[in-house]
Amino acid sequence: GQNIDQPTEMTATEGAIVQINCTYQTSGFNGLFWYQQHAGEAPTFLSYNVLDGLEEKGRFSSFLSRSKGYSYLLLKELQMKDSASYLCALRTDSWGKLQFGAGTQVVVTP
Amino acid sequence: GAGVSQSPSNKVTEKGKDVELRCDPISGHTALYWYRQSLGQGLEFLIYFQGNSAPDKSGLPSDRFSAERTGGSVSTLTIQRTQQEDSAVYLCASRGTGNEQFFGPGTRLTVL
């Protein structure tokens, strides 16, 4: 299986930076996704890493190290609207089947 | 519509009754996925369909759960003899030729 671990909750102030870690144990996977989910809403796509390294997209960046079994999502210049749950997910086959972590609730305070 | 739609948005049922949940994927998307999200939990994979291939049912928690996809488009998830532990939000997602799965708003199922 692929145990996927994320912190349950993180709190940060508006304008700050927060790094959400995701660790996993697996024998193989196709890629790693990050999704954002606001309370009561559907998850929305943030990033997809296949190769090791950093992918940057505006205020959000995602990093993957396959050898270390580790990824992180970096949120810069935090805004109140960034308060949400952030889900790490492994793509486990070529058809796109995803296995999700439990999610990290980020609370942004003024 | 432009996105994935699901109906109903909320469903309250009594223990032992059957329920049907519907998903309309984005037009042209060949892959369709069902997930379940219990309170405070991550998304749990249930089943997926890819084109005309046999579906991957490996995530269905019991034989009370089944799903079908008619004409390569609309999908229905059926739960027979519902139990209280089936209470959750059921999310559907579809995918085209890219990697991203697009999620619907979900159906919140409450079994009394």
Side-chain angles (χ1 to χ4, degrees), chain A residues 35 42 91 93 95-97, chain B residues 33 37 48 58 95 99 101 104:
Chain A
Y35 276 83
R91 178 172 174 170
D93 67 14
W95 285 9
K97 181 175 172 181
Chain B
Y33 309 80
Q37 188 171 34
Y48 77 87
S58 60
R95 182 175 65 84
N99 295 306
Q101 291 184 24

Side-chain angles (χ1 to χ4, degrees), chain A residues 11-89:
Chain A
T11 301
T13 53
E14 205 172 2
I17 298 172
V18 69
Q19 178 174 315
I20 307 168
N21 296 330
C22 171
T23 59
Y24 56 85
Q25 296 85 40
T26 180
S27 57
F29 64 98
N30 293 58
L32 188 146
F33 285 87
W34 284 95
Y35 276 83
Q36 179 191 59
Q37 187 178 26
H38 286 99
E41 298 183 11
T44 55
F45 169 81
L46 289 178
S47 68
Y48 180 54
N49 293 67
V50 176
L51 302 176
D52 283 5
L54 188 68
E55 296 277 345
E56 295 187 84
K57 228 188 240 189
R59 294 188 300 115
F60 292 2
S61 303
S62 58
F63 173 83
L64 175 64
S65 170
R66 286 177 177 267
S67 60
K68 294 189 169 123
Y70 166 67
S71 172
Y72 68 73
L73 180 69
L74 195 69
L75 284 62
K76 295 180 255 189
E77 300 166 22
L78 278 174
Q79 302 176 8
M80 297 300 290
K81 66 179 182 180
D82 298 330
S83 291
S85 182
Y86 291 84
L87 310 175
C88 172

